[in-house]
């Protein structure tokens, strides 16, 4: 689709219960203004669910209209076939939990910033993954993730949120019988494998910020597959988690990875296939790719057309802060299952989630400046190294030792933030830096309770 085929109308579709309270009295005027300032006529429609969104698109939108979809990955998955069939162009507005699709497009987390970055960007034609004819944009999994989806306790989910997913995955990892599968990737010979999990990805991100490989894109014409073998134990599984955080699963000693445009999975008939949080099919499964079929307005950062020559004060310090904060978030995630004190576990879990969100916002804001200039070295920052060190600490004061290490690491970031002229950095950079400063202060205070 070309920009000349646009009609000049934007249909904003928001889920009724997710609409921000401050927009209810003004009809989301701040959001509509962004599209109107870009030269479009904006119309707002509140929908009860994705089914209502599909009905509206089919009945009320014309080819060439722009459709701004407010929701998360599940909502995007539910409407993408209708978007393609209707000939409209999508703008994703991240209002979900993970928002991996928006993240793969370099769309900011903030709704207004997301709308502005997208509508002032360019149209991209994205690939769509299909499993047995059912569509997905980010990833589809067989094994532990699909089994865990069935185990989630609605009551536990209501009270604990993301922890309920961790509990369900832990149960599946230890209780689910490995699957004996025949895996055929493209024209390669079939492989008979005994697996805990097999995941096929189309996007750069999935599972709330995990990456199969550093350079995976939504428009590269390939599906990426990785499989975790049955003989991988729990501790080695932590290494795989680290590799997925770093986008280095292709170098894993514990996972099999391949890339092609068609994948056939046979065996374990009837086992469910999970895609972006929903069961959409079952084995046997044929994964295929439909290249460059979904029209989306994507920020210029996705197209690689940002100003790489720009700079700002204390650029080097901010670069170091971004890298150190990523290292701290990984360490918090690694300590969480090792800690025995419930208070320390809560600090690690909550801080890791908040810091991960801040890191993501900071990373997106730094991309136009070609920052960060490097990635943490998995050999130095992997969860395996931390695990080995923590195992040697399994003494009576293990929690105190772990807390002291976290406090030292947080202090380095706190000192760097103190020397940075945050007020002289661009707004989209200064905001996550200020949030990080507040979070590090809260972390330091919480860790004081664990000092000897």
């Amino acid at each position: 689709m070309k920009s000349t085929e646009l009609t000049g109308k934007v249909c904003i579709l928001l889920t009724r219960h997710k609409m921000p309270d401050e927009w209810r009295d003004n009809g989301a005027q701040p959001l509509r203004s962004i599209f109107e300032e870009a030269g479009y006529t904006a119309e707002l429609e509140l929908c009860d669910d994705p089914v209502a969104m599909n009905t509206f698109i089919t009945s009320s939108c014309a080819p060439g209209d722009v459709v701004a979809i407010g929701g998360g990955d599940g909502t995007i998955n539910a409407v993408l076939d209708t978007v393609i069939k209707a000939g409209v162009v999508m703008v994703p507005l991240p209002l979900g939990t993970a928002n991996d699709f928006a993240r793969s497009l370099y769309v900011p987390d903030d709704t207004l910033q997301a709308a502005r970055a997208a509508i002032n960007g360019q149209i991209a034609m994205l690939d769509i993954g299909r499993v047995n004819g059912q569509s997905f944009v980010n990833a589809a999994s067989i094994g532990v993730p699909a089994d865990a989806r069935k185990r989630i306790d609605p009551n536990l989910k209501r009270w604990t949120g993301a922890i309920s997913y961790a509990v369900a995955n832990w149960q599946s990892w230890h209780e689910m019988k490995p699957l004996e599968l025949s895996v055929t990737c493209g024209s390669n010979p079939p492989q008979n494998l005994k697996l805990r999990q097999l995941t096929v990805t189309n996007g750069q991100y999935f599972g709330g910020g995990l990456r199969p490989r550093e350079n995976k894109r939504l428009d590269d014409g390939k599906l990426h597959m990785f499989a975790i073998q049955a003989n991988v134990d729990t501790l080695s599984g932590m290494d795989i988690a680290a590799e997925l955080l770093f986008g280095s699963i292709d170098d894993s000693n514990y996972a099999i990875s391949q890339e092609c445009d068609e994948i056939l999975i046979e065996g374990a008939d009837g086992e469910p296939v999970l895609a972006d949080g929903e069961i959409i099919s079952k084995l046997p499964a044929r994964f295929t790719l439909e290249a460059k079929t979904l029209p989306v307005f994507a920020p210029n950062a996705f197209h690689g057309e940002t100003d790489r020559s720009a700079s700002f004060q204390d650029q080097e310090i901010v670069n170091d802060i971004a890298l150190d904060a990523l290292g701290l978030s990984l360490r918090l995630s690694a300590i969480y299952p090792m800690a025995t004190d419930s208070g320390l576990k809560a600090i690690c879990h909550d801080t890791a989630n908040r810091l991960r969100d801040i890191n993501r916002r900071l990373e997106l804001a730094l991309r136009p400046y070609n920052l960060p200039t490097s990635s943490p070295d998995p050999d130095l920052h992997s969860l395996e190294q931390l695990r080995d060190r923590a195992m040697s600490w399994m003494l009576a004061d293990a929690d105190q030792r772990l807390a002291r290490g976290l406090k030292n690491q947080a202090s380095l970031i706190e000192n760097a933030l103190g020397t940075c002229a945050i007020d002289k950095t661009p707004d989209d950079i200064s905001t996550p830096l200020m949030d990080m400063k507040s979070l590090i202060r809260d972390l330091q205070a919480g860790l004081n309770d664990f000092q000897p």
Side-chain angles (χ1 to χ4, degrees), residues 332-404:
L332 287 161
S333 297
I335 288 178
Y336 169 72
M338 301 175 193
T340 58
D341 185 276
S342 60
L344 182 57
K345 290 179 78 71
I347 289 174
C348 290
H349 177 270
D350 296 344
T351 306
N353 285 343
R354 291 172 59 193
L355 187 55
R356 190 173 180 176
D357 175 68
I358 293 171
N359 285 342
R360 187 169 75 240
R361 289 189 283 131
L362 184 57
E363 178 187 359
L364 288 171
L366 291 174
R367 281 187 186 277
Y369 303 92
N370 204 22
L371 300 172
T373 53
S374 63
S375 298
D377 184 349
D379 291 334
L380 297 177
H381 293 265
S382 72
L383 299 187
E384 180 180 15
Q385 181 195 48
L386 178 58
R387 179 201 69 202
D388 291 341
R389 186 181 304 159
M391 291 295 288
S392 69
W393 288 345
M394 289 298 119
L395 306 169
D397 62 345
D399 283 341
Q400 286 75 19
R401 291 173 181 263
L402 292 169
R404 185 162 60 246

Side-chain angles (χ1 to χ4, degrees), residues 85-404:
K85 185 176 180 180
V88 297
V89 184
M90 180 191 297
V91 169
L93 302 177
L95 291 174
T97 303
N99 302 312
D100 286 315
F101 177 69
R103 190 181 313 171
S104 292
L105 288 171
Y106 304 157
V107 171
D109 285 339
D110 180 82
T111 307
L112 297 180
Q113 291 181 19
R116 184 176 294 108
I119 203 63
N120 289 296
Q122 304 174 53
I123 295 175
M125 299 301 292
L126 307 182
D127 304 336
I128 294 299
R130 302 200 191 276
V131 51
N132 295 339
Q134 299 297 310
S135 304
F136 66 93
V137 286
N138 295 320
S141 294
I142 300 159
V144 168
D147 181 78
R149 179 65 178 82
K150 300 183 296 183
R151 295 173 183 258
I152 293 175
D153 184 333
N155 294 322
L156 182 62
K157 180 181 177 182
R158 188 177 303 113
W159 290 104
T160 64
I163 295 178
S164 64
Y165 292 95
V167 171
N169 274 278
W170 179 267
Q171 291 174 332
S172 291
W173 181 272
H174 289 280
E175 299 175 11
M176 183 184 176
K177 183 179 178 181
L179 304 178
E180 296 185 12
L181 303 173
S182 171
V183 180
T184 305
C185 191
S187 59
N188 296 319
Q191 294 178 278
N192 294 318
L193 302 171
K194 195 171 184 179
L195 303 175
R196 288 181 179 269
Q197 173 180 340
L198 183 146
T199 296
V200 177
T201 65
N202 174 54
Q204 182 179 10
Y205 290 96
F206 73 101
L210 303 178
R211 294 182 293 177
R213 57 168 33 181
E214 186 72 34
N215 60 348
K216 185 74 182 77
R217 286 177 60 91
L218 281 161
D219 59 356
D220 60 9
K222 294 291 184 181
L223 294 172
H224 184 277
M225 180 207 78
F226 72 89
I228 303 175
Q229 300 187 76
N231 60 359
V232 173
D233 59 25
T234 302
L235 294 178
S236 297
M238 294 172 62
D239 292 273
I240 296 176
E243 288 154 350
L244 287 171
L245 285 168
F246 288 120
S248 58
I249 195 71
D250 288 347
D251 301 323
S252 176
N253 294 320
Y254 305 104
I256 300 169
S257 66
Q258 290 181 294
E259 193 171 60
C260 52
D261 57 6
E262 183 171 343
I263 302 167
L264 177 63
I265 313 295
E266 298 176 296
D269 289 2
E271 284 293 326
V273 179
L274 179 78
D276 296 320
E278 300 296 332
I279 302 295
I280 65 169
S281 192
K282 60 184 179 181
L283 293 179
R286 182 180 296 275
F287 292 86
T288 57
L289 186 82
E290 194 165 337
K292 300 188 183 305
T293 189
L294 176 65
V296 173
F297 257 118
N300 288 324
F302 177 78
H303 299 277
E305 296 189 2
T306 52
D307 182 7
R308 301 295 184 180
S309 64
S311 62
F312 57 88
Q313 185 170 330
D314 286 345
Q315 185 165 301
E316 185 175 343
I317 296 175
V318 175
N319 180 76
D320 292 341
I321 291 172
L323 294 174
D324 290 344
L326 175 58
L328 177 59
S329 67
L330 292 176
R331 187 165 191 181
L332 287 161
S333 297
I335 288 178
Y336 169 72
M338 301 175 193
T340 58
D341 185 276
S342 60
L344 182 57
K345 290 179 78 71
I347 289 174
C348 290
H349 177 270
D350 296 344
T351 306
N353 285 343
R354 291 172 59 193
L355 187 55
R356 190 173 180 176
D357 175 68
I358 293 171
N359 285 342
R360 187 169 75 240
R361 289 189 283 131
L362 184 57
E363 178 187 359
L364 288 171
L366 291 174
R367 281 187 186 277
Y369 303 92
N370 204 22
L371 300 172
T373 53
S374 63
S375 298
D377 184 349
D379 291 334
L380 297 177
H381 293 265
S382 72
L383 299 187
E384 180 180 15
Q385 181 195 48
L386 178 58
R387 179 201 69 202
D388 291 341
R389 186 181 304 159
M391 291 295 288
S392 69
W393 288 345
M394 289 298 119
L395 306 169
D397 62 345
D399 283 341
Q400 286 75 19
R401 291 173 181 263
L402 292 169
R404 185 162 60 246

Side-chain angles (χ1 to χ4, degrees), residues 17 35 45 79 87 154 182 209 224 259 287 449:
H17 71 275
F35 294 114
E45 181 71 15
V79 304
S182 171
H224 184 277
E259 193 171 60
F287 292 86
D449 294 337

